Amino acid sequence: MGAEIVMTFPKARLAVSACLLVAWLLYLGFLVYGTRDVVVLSKPQFMIAQLYVVVDVGAGAGADGPSEDVTVDKVLWSANPADQPLTGQILHLADLEQCGKENGYHGAGKYLVPLLKSPYRIAPVPRTLAEGAAPIAIIYPWTPETEAQAAPLIAAKK
């Protein structure tokens, strides 16, 4: 009888361990599934920007690309107070054509865009991995989550 009890505990421990492993893997799967579309603002990109604007981007003439002409919905922050009247104006952002789905464009709508001036262009994400690497321009869908992430960046600039 003592041998049966001794053999039962290793089997029970194996079954419990297997159940815990499966539960852990399911938890990780749901975690990845739930956070796959989370947008995280690039702080270095916003630190070099001279202007934070929310723009209305339309669909471009191409199949999936954005229109290079955008309407400024609101100016969130500007290094120069003279840029505040940009609201309602149309800006031509030539580098917006490189913003495909991998760089933040997901169809027509409102986007948060960090800009550099003279002429207006999207602030690039600084690249340190390779010297000759081309700069990347990223835009961000304007959502409550994006607005919450932008608030501390704006507060730090003021």
Side-chain angles (χ1 to χ4, degrees):
M1 180 127 193
E4 291 175 10
I5 293 174
V6 172
M7 292 304 289
T8 304
F9 286 120
K11 290 178 184 175
R13 284 193 303 248
L14 178 63
V16 169
S17 297
C19 289
L20 289 173
L21 176 65
V22 169
W24 177 250
L25 292 175
L26 286 172
Y27 168 74
L28 290 177
F30 284 121
L31 186 65
V32 168
Y33 179 77
T35 59
R36 72 182 185 280
D37 293 329
V38 174
V39 174
V40 178
L41 302 184
S42 169
K43 289 182 184 174
Q45 181 184 21
F46 280 84
M47 295 310 288
I48 65 170
Q50 299 167 328
L51 188 65
Y52 303 166
V53 294
V54 177
V55 297
D56 194 11
V57 179
D64 295 328
S67 170
E68 294 178 352
D69 294 321
V70 300
T71 304
V72 178
D73 189 52
K74 73 172 117 168
V75 176
L76 299 176
W77 175 82
S78 173
N80 185 353
D83 292 323
Q84 290 298 329
L86 281 176
T87 302
Q89 291 188 14
I90 295 175
L91 296 180
H92 181 77
L93 301 176
D95 50 354
L96 195 57
E97 70 181 7
Q98 65 180 281
C99 291
K101 188 169 182 161
E102 66 279 354
N103 292 350
Y105 180 72
H106 298 288
K110 295 192 185 300
Y111 289 86
L112 171 61
V113 181
L115 294 176
L116 296 174
K117 291 175 47 174
S118 294
Y120 289 108
R121 63 190 189 282
I122 301 171
V125 175
R127 308 264 325 248
T128 58
L129 297 177
E131 279 187 37
I136 298 174
I138 298 177
I139 60 175
Y140 306 91
W142 185 242
T143 63
E145 292 82 16
T146 309
E147 186 175 6
Q149 288 182 54
L153 296 173
I154 295 168
K157 290 275 195 165
K158 289 184 178 180

